[in-house]
Amino acid sequence: MILQMNGIQKSFGGLEVLKDISLHVDAGEVVSIIGPSGSGKSTLLRCATFLEKVDAGEITYMDTTAVRTGGDGHAVYLPHKELNSVKRYFGLVFQQFNLFPHYSVLKNVMDAPVHVQKRNKEEVREEAMAILKKMDLDTRADAYPCQLSGGQQQRVAIARALALKPAILFFDEPTSALDPELTGEVLKVIRQLAEEKMTMVVVTHEMPFARAVSNRVLFMDKGVVVEQGHPEDVFGDPQQERTRQFLRNYQR
C-alpha cells in the first residue's frame, strides 16, 4: 500500500470540511475523487500532501506514519526533517500550473531534483529531457511558461512532478483551468500514465475520464465519502440516492 488515511478530520473555524474520512491507495491504482464543489475533495488532497494540517486522523505513506492522533485527540506530525523525507513519496499537480515564470521549461522540471533532492545535474537533465519528450514538449525545453498554451503548461507541471520520481501522484482538478481542446491533451497524458501503472489520485469533474481510467471512484459530499467502488458500479449502478442525484444533475 502506498497511502493510508484513517479518520481524517479538518475544520476551518467552525466549518467542518472533512468528517472522519478514510482513504487507501495501492501501488499502480488510479483513484478518482468526484463530487460537487465544496464537498472537501481538494482539502483532502491538501491534507494528504501536508499543505493543510489535519485536526485528527492518521496518514501513512509506505511504512512511515507521518501523522497520528495524540492522546489529547489532536493530530501529531513527525518532526520537520522526518516529514520532509516522507514528502519524497508524492508529487502534486495543481489546477493553476504553479510554474516558475522566470524559469525555462527545462529549469522548471530540473529545479527540485537538483536543489531539493541534491541529485547530479547532468543526470537530472537527461531524465528531464526524456520526460519532456514523453510529454511531447522536448522542442519547448528552452521556452518560458508565458510562451506556452495552458495545456502545455499543465504538461510541464506533470513533467516537473514526475521528475521527482514519486511513488504516487496527486492531481487537483488538473483540467479546470483549460478549454475543452486543451483538456483533452492533458487527460491523454494522465491516461498514458495510468496505462504505465503510475499510482494516482485524481480530483476531477471529468466524469467520462474518471469512469474510463479509474480502478476506484470515491464520491464525496459535505465532507464525507458517500459512496465508493469500481467505476462501473458507481457510475452505472450507484447505491446512494445522493450519488444518483449528483450524476443526474451532472449529465444534464
Side-chain angles (χ1 to χ4, degrees), residues 5 18 21 23 33 40-48 220:
M5 302 177 75
L18 299 177
I21 295 274
L23 166 69
I33 304 176
K41 307 182 302 294
S42 292
T43 300
L44 181 62
L45 252 61
R46 290 180 65 83
C47 288
M220 287 182 63

Side-chain angles (χ1 to χ4, degrees), residues 125-175:
R125 179 187 295 275
E126 188 176 328
E127 291 176 0
M129 286 303 299
I131 295 170
L132 287 173
K133 184 175 179 64
K134 181 176 175 179
M135 299 287 154
D136 198 22
L137 287 168
D138 50 315
T139 60
R140 307 307 307 275
D142 295 326
Y144 287 83
C146 65
Q147 299 172 305
L148 305 178
S149 70
Q152 289 172 325
Q153 289 185 61
Q154 191 60 295
R155 281 184 281 149
V156 174
I158 296 171
R160 179 178 60 182
L162 287 171
L164 292 167
K165 299 184 177 180
I168 182 171
L169 261 184
F170 294 95
F171 293 86
D172 186 9
E173 298 187 19
T175 60

Side-chain angles (χ1 to χ4, degrees), residues 148-250:
L148 305 178
S149 70
Q152 289 172 325
Q153 289 185 61
Q154 191 60 295
R155 281 184 281 149
V156 174
I158 296 171
R160 179 178 60 182
L162 287 171
L164 292 167
K165 299 184 177 180
I168 182 171
L169 261 184
F170 294 95
F171 293 86
D172 186 9
E173 298 187 19
T175 60
S176 65
L178 304 176
D179 65 34
E181 184 175 10
L182 299 180
T183 291
E185 68 182 53
V186 172
L187 294 181
K188 181 181 176 183
V189 168
I190 301 175
R191 283 175 185 267
Q192 181 183 350
L193 293 173
E195 290 169 3
E196 296 169 1
K197 299 300 181 185
M198 181 74 206
T199 308
M200 295 183 282
V201 177
V202 186
V203 168
T204 183
H205 288 299
E206 300 291 335
M207 300 301 148
F209 168 80
R211 185 170 188 166
V213 174
S214 308
N215 300 104
R216 193 155 38 90
V217 174
L218 275 69
F219 169 62
M220 287 182 63
D221 188 36
K222 297 179 180 176
V224 300
V225 175
V226 176
E227 187 161 354
Q228 66 175 302
H230 189 276
E232 290 306 316
D233 295 330
V234 173
F235 288 104
D237 187 25
Q239 300 302 299
Q240 303 300 319
E241 175 56 32
R242 181 66 187 96
T243 315
R244 291 193 288 269
Q245 180 189 28
F246 172 77
L247 293 173
R248 277 198 303 271
N249 290 339
Y250 213 92

Side-chain angles (χ1 to χ4, degrees), residues 52-115:
E52 297 284 355
K53 281 198 166 185
V54 302
D55 299 324
E58 182 179 280
I59 302 175
T60 300
Y61 279 95
M62 312 295 270
D63 56 355
T64 303
T65 297
V67 186
R68 60 179 178 81
T69 301
D72 61 356
H74 294 104
V76 178
Y77 281 72
L78 286 175
H80 182 73
K81 187 175 181 180
E82 293 175 54
L83 194 63
N84 277 341
S85 72
V86 175
K87 290 179 181 179
R88 74 182 188 276
Y89 290 127
F90 60 77
L92 175 60
V93 178
F94 299 89
Q95 299 177 30
Q96 297 293 341
F97 325 136
N98 287 12
L99 300 175
F100 294 114
H102 55 295
Y103 285 0
S104 69
V105 165
L106 182 59
K107 186 168 174 57
N108 263 285
V109 175
M110 289 179 61
D111 189 62
V114 171
H115 295 107

